[in-house]
Amino acid sequence: MGGRHLFPRWRWLALAWLAVYLPSYAIAYGFTNFLFLCNLGVMLTAAALLWESRLVLSSQAVAAPVIGLAWAADAGWRVVTGAHLFGGTEYMWDPQYPLFTRLLSLYHLAWPVLVVVLVRRVGYDRRGWALQAAIAGSVLVVCRLWTAPAENINFAFVDPVFGRAFTPAALHLAIVFVALAGVAYGATHFALLRSARRRSDTGAGAT
């Protein structure tokens, strides 16, 4: 974006995060784990900070609150009740994985806050919803075609609410996609638009 960097400090923190996060996750969980939308999202966020892409940052502002809330709900339910709400955070209690790597997953709590705060600073790009929907749709297809059903990455095989595998596969993917990209991402998209509009109105009234 020429001239001054938008995120002079965050760019270096993004590099430091990737230097620690990528090898730790790859060694502990394997490379297919990066297909999870949360892991892909935190990498895209780091890339957005490095390349100063407001569009990519906005796309992750659409996704991060949804993912972070779901992760926190499942992990929190496990802490309180001893059982998982709908699954996805079982690995946090699995001693076969290094404790340090498991603790890195606490980024699910900080990542949504960081992305939303930064987007409020630089402005929300309304194309973020469409970009994130395209990312999610593409990843769902990849997960369905090239990952093991037992891993159920991004719920590409079994849905998290009813625990069902809808048939045919195209129907299952369509249901997950509509719920995720349409309903969940749509909610955060409109919330971000409303927040941006409110800030614009407040700014206009102050001048």
Side-chain angles (χ1 to χ4, degrees):
M1 289 188 175
R4 292 176 54 190
H5 291 298
L6 286 177
F7 312 109
R9 293 186 181 89
W10 286 110
R11 294 172 79 241
W12 291 107
L13 287 173
L15 276 174
W17 165 258
L18 291 175
V20 174
Y21 162 80
L22 290 176
S24 298
Y25 263 52
I27 293 170
Y29 306 126
F31 288 99
T32 58
N33 195 265
F34 292 119
L35 287 173
F36 278 102
L37 288 169
C38 51
N39 296 328
L40 183 61
V42 80
M43 291 188 292
L44 287 172
T45 300
L49 295 176
L50 289 170
W51 297 325
E52 303 190 322
S53 172
R54 189 165 66 96
L55 173 58
V56 175
L57 192 64
S58 295
S59 73
Q60 298 317 300
V62 169
V66 175
I67 296 170
L69 181 61
W71 191 93
D74 191 68
W77 197 264
R78 170 64 170 78
V79 171
V80 173
T81 69
H84 292 276
L85 185 59
F86 41 75
T89 64
E90 292 87 350
Y91 67 95
M92 289 294 290
W93 284 266
D94 193 335
Q96 73 170 303
Y97 302 119
L99 177 60
F100 174 77
T101 306
R102 284 182 279 153
L103 290 177
L104 285 178
S105 284
L106 293 176
Y107 80 77
H108 289 83
L109 304 178
W111 170 49
V113 177
L114 170 65
V115 176
V116 171
V117 167
L118 291 179
V119 163
R120 282 172 61 86
R121 171 184 162 185
V122 301
Y124 175 62
D125 188 325
R126 64 175 56 242
R127 296 174 298 167
W129 183 16
L131 175 58
Q132 182 57 24
I135 292 170
S138 300
V139 171
L140 280 171
V141 172
V142 169
C143 290
R144 184 74 191 206
L145 293 177
W146 287 294
T147 66
E151 294 181 290
N152 198 30
I153 296 178
N154 298 317
F155 305 109
F157 293 89
V158 178
D159 86 272
V161 178
F162 303 105
R164 289 189 56 187
F166 297 98
T167 55
L171 174 62
H172 182 89
L173 293 178
I175 291 173
V176 174
F177 177 77
V178 169
L180 180 63
V183 178
Y185 290 170
T188 52
H189 168 73
F190 287 113
L192 289 165
L193 282 179
R194 190 180 307 115
S195 176
R197 193 175 301 117
R198 189 181 303 118
R199 286 171 60 85
S200 177
D201 292 343
T202 301
T207 55

